[in-house]
Amino acid sequence: MKKTLLITGGAGFIGSHVVRLFVNNYPDYTIVNLDKLTYAGNLENLKDIEDKPNYIFEKGDIVDADFINQLFDKYQFDGVIHLAAESHVDRSIAEPMAFVMTNVVGTCNLLNAAKNAWKEGGYEGKRFYHVSTDEVYGELHNPEDFFTETTPYDPRSPYSASKASSDHFVRAYGNTYKLPVVITNCSNNYGPNHFPEKLLPLMINNILHNKPLPVYGKGENVRDWLFVVDHARAIDTVFHNGVLGETYNIGGFNEWKNIDIVKLVCKTMDSKLGREEGTSEKLITYVTDRAGHDLRYAIDATKIMKELGWEPSLQFEEGLDKTVTWFLDNQEWLDNVTSGNYQDYYKKMYS
Ligand code: NAD
Ligand code: DAU
């Protein structure tokens, strides 16, 4: 069936995998990728699909309500998959207001535009999907505990507070205006195109350049890792089959202490680079802890698995191997990001 979908944040890490999956798997859909191209947006991520006839790129800011309303007028969207956000916790500690603007105000602008655009024709067949994070649930201490869809919200960083706030607005629009909404809360993603400010790509890049590997505090914090393509597959599943008004947690039942995952990256890199085992581990440097650093996240993904039949396609070791191989095969991508050259790609291709 023909549809026109708005995907926001499609030039970012997860968004680019979602755009690729939808453009390739749904040739009848027109996919409009709206992205501001902040430091995290990189159109090189989408090189392989940018010439497809069902793909359109629009540069713009979700904080600009007039622009968003015009975009809804122009395309008459049938659905929205909203990923655009400021996504890095450390940056939210340094610059919280950017997170309030994009994650809260930007999300509300999209909700208003969808509500106004869809109210006349009715909501039949329409869907507003908000892509959110497990960080809204706070942190876990008891090793037997997991975040479920009914865990009370307890955001503890400016980033997670802004995502929690946007989740609340999405639910409020669902309840008050009956906007057809659905939300997912996912754990830490890893994979190709991950921006090298985040733990795993930062470690890979620093190992390549023999630079220190900064581990916050004692490296005891726990994260639950999911391959990014499996997150994109889950988004496809929930967009098409998720029950409106519902929330689904997405995760890989794959918890790692930071220090253990960093050591595994070191071992994998040593082996692939033909270095003696233990070489990269010598670069590990314990540094000052992140302010308010959440101890442990762990998602219970039973609901999406049982009700919608989604499950991760990759074992973690395989996913990590693929990821490291991708970064080694795409060092130009990494160099373009670290040098800032990637920001010229838009000018070269689109203006
Ligand atoms: P990212 O930082 O890699 O990409 C964000 C994208 O949004 C970038 O392309 C950026 O240019 C764009 N953007 C930022 N501000 C914008 C604005 N005002 N207007 C338009 N575009 C704007 O982020 P990511 O890691 O791909 O995360 C995508 C989404 O998934 C976010 O909503 C994040 O909260 C959520 N999420 C991320 C993870 C993870 O592990 N990375 C896990 C769960 C949920
Ligand atoms: O849980 C989902 C969240 O995962 C997403 O919502 C966020 O958008 C995404 O950025 C990610 O947040 P984290 O803070 O968990 O990811 P980050 O890669 O920044 O850090 C992972 C862990 O590694 C965390 O415990 C902090 C630690 N860390 C991070 C960096 C960048 C270090 O020890 N050293 C580092 O240099």
Side-chain angles (χ1 to χ4, degrees):
M1 190 209 290
K2 287 200 180 303
K3 277 182 194 288
T4 303
L5 302 187
L6 172 64
I7 299 184
T8 70
F13 166 46
I14 302 169
S16 60
H17 289 275
V18 175
V19 166
R20 175 176 301 103
L21 185 154
F22 274 76
V23 165
N24 286 335
N25 290 7
Y26 301 101
D28 281 356
Y29 292 4
T30 300
I31 303 301
V32 179
N33 170 17
L34 163 64
D35 200 295
K36 182 182 174 182
L37 299 183
T38 67
Y39 79 93
N42 183 352
L43 287 174
E44 280 188 48
N45 295 350
L46 291 165
K47 250 197 218 159
D48 57 321
I49 58 111
E50 69 193 1
D51 292 329
K52 297 257 175 164
N54 63 336
Y55 172 71
I56 297 169
F57 176 68
E58 288 274 359
K59 186 172 188 288
D61 188 344
I62 58 170
V63 176
D64 180 346
D66 290 341
F67 167 74
I68 294 298
N69 291 332
Q70 283 161 20
L71 204 70
F72 273 75
D73 275 351
K74 179 171 170 189
Y75 289 106
Q76 305 288 310
F77 298 117
D78 298 295
V80 177
I81 304 179
H82 174 37
L83 296 108
E86 288 291 341
S87 69
H88 191 41
V89 174
D90 292 325
R91 285 181 189 256
S92 83
I93 295 166
E95 300 262 353
M97 285 314 290
F99 288 68
V100 175
M101 294 311 292
T102 287
N103 299 1
V104 185
V105 177
T107 302
C108 289
N109 283 338
L110 290 164
L111 288 165
N112 279 326
K115 171 170 86 64
N116 294 335
W118 293 344
K119 72 175 177 231
E120 272 181 26
Y123 291 147
E124 187 64 35
K126 306 288 195 281
R127 181 164 288 230
F128 188 106
Y129 180 167
H130 186 224
V131 175
S132 191
T133 170
D134 59 358
E135 301 201 11
V136 299
Y137 297 124
E139 64 174 1
L140 296 166
H141 287 272
N142 181 345
E144 278 144 37
D145 286 347
F146 286 86
F147 297 135
T148 72
E149 288 79 2
T150 56
T151 301
Y153 274 32
D154 182 22
R156 294 160 39 88
S157 72
Y159 165 68
S160 53
S162 68
K163 292 296 289 188
S165 172
S166 54
D167 284 1
H168 287 319
F169 272 105
V170 173
R171 288 200 184 91
Y173 274 63
N175 179 59
T176 309
Y177 308 110
K178 308 300 170 215
L179 195 74
V181 298
V182 65
I183 297 176
T184 52
N185 297 84
C186 187
S187 62
N188 285 61
N189 285 214
Y190 70 96
N193 308 106
H194 206 178
F195 196 85
E197 64 184 349
K198 307 277 168 66
L199 181 70
L200 297 191
L202 179 73
M203 297 296 147
I204 292 171
N205 189 43
N206 286 11
I207 291 169
L208 271 173
H209 296 97
N210 281 311
K211 282 168 45 182
L213 309 179
V215 171
Y216 296 165
K218 295 183 179 152
E220 298 279 302
N221 303 65
V222 174
R223 297 293 182 266
D224 172 0
W225 295 91
L226 179 70
F227 191 60
V228 63
V229 175
D230 281 328
H231 188 189
R233 288 176 48 249
I235 289 173
D236 179 10
T237 301
V238 173
F239 183 75
H240 288 102
N241 302 320
V243 176
L244 289 175
E246 289 291 318
T247 293
Y248 299 88
N249 280 353
I250 306 171
F253 289 107
N254 178 41
E255 291 177 56
W256 287 82
K257 267 190 193 167
N258 289 342
I259 187 62
D260 294 338
I261 206 168
V262 169
K263 285 184 177 169
L264 181 60
V265 172
C266 288
K267 200 171 153 199
T268 312
M269 288 288 285
D270 283 348
S271 144
K272 291 204 181 283
L273 293 170
R275 293 179 181 170
E276 195 185 327
E277 193 173 328
T279 308
S280 300
E281 265 196 49
K282 293 198 189 105
L283 297 169
I284 292 176
T285 311
Y286 292 94
V287 298
T288 309
D289 208 354
R290 173 183 278 173
H293 197 173
D294 285 339
L295 183 63
R296 171 174 166 252
Y297 306 141
I299 277 283
D300 179 347
T302 307
K303 178 174 170 181
I304 186 173
M305 289 170 140
K306 283 214 164 129
E307 294 184 11
L308 303 182
W310 170 88
E311 59 181 34
S313 66
L314 282 189
Q315 294 295 321
F316 178 64
E317 282 68 15
E318 197 187 337
L320 186 68
D321 197 86
K322 262 180 182 272
T323 303
V324 170
T325 302
W326 186 87
F327 277 99
L328 293 178
D329 290 347
N330 290 276
Q331 288 186 43
E332 199 185 332
W333 180 92
L334 205 47
D335 291 344
N336 280 346
V337 170
T338 47
S339 68
N341 285 346
Y342 71 108
Q343 284 170 323
D344 294 336
Y345 192 83
Y346 170 72
K347 281 185 231 139
K348 244 183 356 217
M349 299 304 296
Y350 291 87
S351 46

Coordinates of all heavy atoms in Angstrom, one line a residue, residues 1-4 27-29 78:
M1 N 0.8 -1.2 0.0 CA 0.0 0.0 0.0 C 0.9 1.3 0.0 O 1.9 1.3 0.7 CB -0.9 0.0 1.3 CG -2.0 1.0 1.3 SD -2.3 1.6 2.9 CE -3.1 0.1 3.6
K2 N 0.5 2.3 -0.8 CA 1.3 3.5 -0.9 C 1.2 4.3 0.4 O 0.1 4.4 0.9 CB 0.9 4.3 -2.1 CG 1.3 3.8 -3.4 CD 1.3 4.9 -4.5 CE 1.8 4.3 -5.8 NZ 3.1 3.7 -5.8
K3 N 2.3 4.8 0.9 CA 2.2 5.6 2.1 C 3.4 6.6 2.0 O 4.4 6.3 1.4 CB 2.5 4.8 3.4 CG 1.4 4.0 4.0 CD 1.9 3.3 5.3 CE 0.9 2.3 5.8 NZ -0.3 2.7 6.4
T4 N 3.2 7.8 2.7 CA 4.3 8.7 2.8 C 4.7 8.8 4.3 O 3.8 9.2 5.1 CB 3.9 10.1 2.2 OG1 3.5 9.9 0.9 CG2 5.1 11.0 2.2
P27 N 9.3 -0.4 -1.1 CA 9.4 0.4 -2.3 C 8.1 1.2 -2.6 O 8.2 2.3 -3.3 CB 9.7 -0.6 -3.5 CG 9.5 -1.9 -2.9 CD 9.5 -1.9 -1.4
D28 N 7.0 0.8 -2.1 CA 5.7 1.6 -2.3 C 5.6 2.8 -1.3 O 4.8 3.6 -1.5 CB 4.5 0.7 -2.0 CG 4.2 -0.2 -3.2 OD1 4.9 0.0 -4.2 OD2 3.3 -1.0 -3.0
Y29 N 6.5 2.8 -0.3 CA 6.4 4.0 0.6 C 7.4 5.1 0.1 O 8.5 4.7 -0.4 CB 7.0 3.6 2.0 CG 6.1 2.6 2.8 CD1 5.0 2.0 2.3 CD2 6.5 2.3 4.1 CE1 4.2 1.2 3.1 CE2 5.8 1.5 4.9 CZ 4.6 0.9 4.4 OH 3.9 0.0 5.2
D78 N 1.4 10.0 6.2 CA 0.5 9.0 6.8 C 1.1 8.5 8.1 O 0.3 8.0 8.9 CB 0.4 7.8 5.8 CG -0.1 8.1 4.5 OD1 -1.3 8.5 4.5 OD2 0.6 8.1 3.5

